[in-house]
């Protein structure tokens, strides 16, 4: 993974944390990989022992979150997810609560560990006569319908049961996954709307991207005693970013640090009338710590840029010739916001790509990339598409991208190389030497659905890259800080009306380990 050419970087690490050093408990597993780890765990703990532990942990959540609940209706399907539900019902009855099961599959037809769970529930006095009508009488509904085995749309009795759960208007606890949600993609229809999801043994990608965050509610991870030794034996697909990553990748600066140690970034874009995006990018890069930020834009934007952020050095440019000196000085170039796709933008884009150095490409730059460099694959660029731009790069629809965001991110990386940041709910960062080099950001909020957010993200990533982080670390830390800054801003003033320009000050606090939690 590429780093800027300037070697004078004493303040930050220049290499990514190896895959083996990522905390094993934050790894992401597909449904197939999860089943392999489940098998390992079953050999260590015993299959029914593991189910018993899952039910116990889920019931702990019931008591913690819904201490007032006296009447539980547990909606059970026909597999091990149903078995978990029957164990929850058994614990509820043991605690003196009313526990009824709405069984979509007759309990007598269940096999293996699920059958043992039915016997345990029956021995505790759980009744199995609940129906859809019972949901309205519950203090809490427990979703134990489908688990990780969902593929495509759910219909028939299961689809009707999901609709009934959602229509009941009662609190819902989902076991492992909200029923209907696809483990690997975060897609699905219909999907249970849960208030809390207790997910067992593995972190499922679908909980954190696509439709997952809309339906999972608060996610509680229950490792069920599966330790690092067990996890090390199973294949995995990536990991979830965490607040603690910031301190590891963004340590405090040395007292001797000066601006020459902190990189030179050139932001290129902003055709006449479209200067706001590049000004936002440049300011974000400066606020996140880049030592010197230059902005090459239409001359009409010089005054607004200097008023907004006088620390940024602004150059009015007429054509590619005007940026040749700036390109020679820059450690990293960010191009695309407000660039346009006409002759002015094409000339600047061609000059930047001809430079053959670290380059972040966003917005209009991605459209020009597809038009002017189709088939080119490079290690020294970071591409930051939203779903619509990703669809353009892959010749598909935005709906295709959203239907399988992890698959789309991998396809983008395979086609274009470098580092790819697929923006959206559960932003993904992928790149490097293996498909496992994939990070998912679980932070952020709906207030980010406003103009300029992507421009600010691009400036943050490029600003970190210029400071000496590897391309992957700059992308993943930029995504993390950007999302957390938006969360900080939303806590301060609410989600509606959140502006991209609100993020810079919060991001500054986030990249200084002694000033943010």
């Amino acid at each position: 993974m590429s780093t800027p050419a300037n070697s004078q970087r004493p303040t930050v690490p220049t290499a990514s944390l190896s895959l083996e050093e990522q905390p094993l408990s934050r790894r992401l597993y597909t449904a197939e990989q999860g089943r392999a780890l489940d098998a390992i765990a079953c050999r260590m703990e015993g299959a029914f022992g593991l189910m018993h532990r899952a039910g116990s942990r889920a019931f702990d959540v019931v008591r913690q979150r819904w201490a007032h609940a006296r009447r539980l209706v547990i909606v059970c399907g026909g597999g091990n997810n149903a078995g978990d539900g029957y164990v929850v019902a058994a614990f509820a009855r043991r605690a003196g609560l009313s526990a009824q099961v709405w069984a979509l599959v007759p309990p007598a037809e269940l096999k293996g560990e699920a059958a043992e769970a039915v016997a345990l529930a029956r021995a505790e006095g759980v009744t199995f006569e609940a129906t859809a009508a019972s949901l309205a009488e519950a203090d809490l509904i427990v979703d134990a319908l489908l688990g990780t085995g969902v593929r495509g749309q759910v219909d028939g009795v299961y689809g009707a049961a999901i609709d009934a759960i959602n229509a009941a208007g009662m609190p819902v606890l989902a076991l492992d996954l909200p029923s209907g949600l696809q483990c690997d993609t975060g897609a699905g229809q219909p999907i249970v709307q849960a208030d809390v999801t207790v997910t067992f043994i593995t972190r499922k990608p679908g909980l954190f991207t696509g439709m997952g965050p809309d339906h999972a509610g608060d996610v509680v991870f229950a490792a069920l005693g599966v330790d690092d030794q067990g996890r090390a034996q199973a294949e995995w697909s990536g990991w979830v970013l965490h607040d603690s990553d910031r301190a590891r990748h963004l340590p405090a600066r040395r007292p001797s640090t000066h601006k020459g140690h902190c990189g030179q970034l050139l932001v290129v874009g902003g055709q006449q009338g479209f200067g706001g995006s590049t000004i936002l990018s440049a300011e974000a890069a400066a606020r996140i710590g880049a030592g010197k930020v230059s902005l090459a834009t239409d001359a009409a934007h010089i005054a607004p840029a200097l008023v907004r952020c006088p620390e940024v050095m602004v150059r009015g440019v007429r054509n590619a010739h005007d940026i040749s000196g700036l390109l020679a000085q820059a450690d990293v170039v960010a191009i695309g916001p407000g660039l346009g796709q006409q002759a002015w933008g094409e000339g600047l884009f061609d000059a930047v790509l001809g430079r053959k150095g670290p380059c972040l490409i966003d917005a209009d730059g991605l459209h020009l990339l597809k038009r002017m460099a189709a088939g080119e694959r490079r290690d020294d660029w970071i591409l930051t598409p939203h779903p619509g731009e990703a669809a353009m790069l892959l010749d598909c629809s935005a709906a295709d991208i959203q239907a399988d965001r992890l698959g789309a991110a991998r396809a983008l990386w395979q086609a274009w190389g470098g580092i790819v940041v697929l923006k959206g709910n559960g932003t993904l960062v992928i790149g490097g030497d293996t498909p496992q080099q994939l990070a998912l950001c679980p932070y952020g909020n709906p207030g980010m659905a406003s103009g300029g957010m992507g421009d600010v993200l691009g400036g943050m990533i490029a600003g970190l890259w210029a400071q000496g982080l590897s391309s992957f670390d700059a992308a993943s830390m930029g995504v993390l800080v950007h999302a957390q800054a938006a969360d900080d801003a939303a806590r301060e003033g609410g989600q509606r009306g959140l502006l991209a320009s609100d993020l810079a000050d919060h991001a500054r606090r986030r990249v200084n380990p002694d000033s943010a939690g």
Side-chain angles (χ1 to χ4, degrees):
M1 287 165 287
S2 59
T3 55
N6 191 330
S7 61
Q8 301 300 312
R9 296 285 188 273
T11 59
V12 293
T14 57
S16 294
L17 195 69
S18 70
L19 294 176
E20 290 72 21
E21 292 178 281
Q22 294 292 342
L24 272 65
S25 62
R26 286 201 269 122
R27 288 180 173 179
L28 291 165
Y29 298 82
T30 65
E32 182 178 354
Q33 292 166 340
R35 284 189 285 272
L37 185 56
D38 286 350
I40 294 169
C42 287
R43 290 196 295 270
M44 297 170 62
E45 300 288 334
F48 185 68
L50 205 63
M51 183 175 287
H52 191 274
R53 184 173 292 183
S56 173
R57 181 67 185 94
F59 186 66
D60 287 344
V61 173
V62 172
R63 300 307 297 267
Q64 293 161 8
R65 287 294 300 262
W66 295 283
H68 68 282
R70 306 302 301 170
R71 298 183 300 277
L72 276 61
V73 173
I74 301 92
V75 188
C76 293
N80 283 347
N81 193 245
D84 296 336
Y86 282 103
V87 174
V88 171
F91 275 102
R93 281 297 300 135
R94 191 176 296 174
L97 306 182
S98 168
Q100 303 178 62
V101 171
W102 177 16
L104 272 67
V105 175
E109 295 181 11
L110 271 61
K111 307 294 183 184
E113 297 78 46
E116 293 185 63
V118 169
L120 176 65
R122 182 174 282 115
E124 294 291 345
V126 175
T127 61
F128 304 154
E129 289 79 32
T131 65
S134 306
L135 300 177
E137 302 172 0
D139 297 319
L140 176 68
I141 299 168
V142 178
D143 165 26
L145 275 172
L146 291 169
T148 61
V150 176
R151 293 290 185 274
Q153 182 168 330
V154 180
D155 51 20
V157 294
Y158 282 93
I162 291 173
D163 290 340
I165 292 172
N166 290 339
M170 298 298 168
V172 177
L173 171 69
L175 303 185
D176 215 17
L177 282 169
S179 290
L181 183 69
Q182 296 176 28
C183 173
D184 299 354
T185 66
Q189 181 66 33
I191 305 171
V192 163
Q193 185 66 57
D195 295 276
V196 178
T197 297
V198 183
T199 193
F200 304 124
I201 301 179
T202 64
R203 298 185 191 274
K204 287 81 174 169
L207 287 171
F208 303 102
T209 196
M211 299 296 292
D214 287 349
H215 290 270
D218 296 335
V219 177
V220 177
F221 175 60
L224 302 187
V226 180
D227 58 15
D228 287 356
Q229 180 180 1
R231 294 182 189 282
Q233 300 177 51
E235 293 185 358
W236 48 288
S237 293
W239 67 90
V240 179
L241 292 172
H242 186 265
D243 181 68
S244 60
D245 293 326
R246 285 186 299 111
R248 183 167 60 244
H249 292 289
L250 300 169
R253 288 178 169 178
R254 296 177 182 175
S256 60
T257 300
H258 59 75
K259 67 180 180 181
H261 292 148
C262 301
Q264 297 190 46
L265 170 66
L266 173 62
V267 179
V268 181
Q271 65 176 328
Q272 188 171 6
F274 293 87
S277 55
T278 49
I279 294 170
L280 285 170
S281 292
E283 180 189 32
R287 280 293 184 188
I288 212 162
K292 178 180 177 182
V293 180
S294 299
L295 172 59
T297 187
D298 187 273
H301 306 135
I302 294 176
L306 292 176
V307 169
R308 176 72 194 184
C309 191
E311 295 83 1
V312 172
M313 290 163 285
V314 190
R315 175 79 62 84
V317 297
R318 297 162 298 177
N319 51 46
H321 176 74
D322 289 345
I323 66 168
S324 58
L326 296 173
L327 289 173
Q329 297 171 14
D331 296 309
V332 173
V333 179
I335 186 168
L339 184 67
Q341 301 175 43
Q342 290 75 47
W344 185 81
E346 287 179 347
L348 296 178
F349 185 81
D350 188 57
V352 169
L353 252 61
R355 170 178 170 270
K356 298 294 184 184
C359 176
L360 182 142
I361 305 174
D362 187 27
D364 287 329
L366 294 169
H367 289 269
L368 293 175
L369 178 70
K370 178 66 179 296
R371 185 195 309 168
M372 300 171 64
E376 187 171 353
R377 194 176 191 276
R378 282 170 50 170
D379 294 330
D380 62 353
W381 59 29
I382 298 176
L383 311 182
T384 58
H386 58 55
E389 292 160 345
M392 175 271 300
L393 291 171
L394 291 177
D395 295 314
C396 63
S397 70
D400 293 332
I401 300 296
Q402 293 297 84
D404 184 0
R405 286 176 52 81
L406 269 73
R410 292 195 175 95
L412 286 163
W413 173 66
Q414 289 165 355
W416 295 97
I419 305 298
V420 174
V421 177
L422 179 56
K423 296 181 288 195
N425 198 356
T427 292
L428 299 165
V429 181
I430 185 170
D433 300 324
T434 167
Q436 287 180 319
Q437 190 81 32
L438 182 148
L440 187 155
C441 181
Y443 302 98
N445 65 81
M448 299 169 77
S450 63
M453 284 289 175
D455 305 317
V456 168
L457 174 60
M460 290 182 180
I461 293 172
L464 291 171
W465 199 8
Q467 292 175 69
L469 273 72
S470 72
S471 51
F472 184 87
D473 289 344
S476 55
M477 289 304 97
V479 165
L480 175 63
V481 170
H482 180 259
Q484 290 187 318
D487 287 345
D488 293 341
R491 279 190 291 271
E492 184 178 273
Q495 294 180 1
R496 283 189 173 88
L498 179 63
L499 299 179
S501 56
D502 296 332
L503 269 58
D505 287 343
H506 292 287
R508 179 189 175 195
R509 286 189 284 272
R510 284 284 174 180
V511 295
N512 288 287
D514 57 347
S515 63

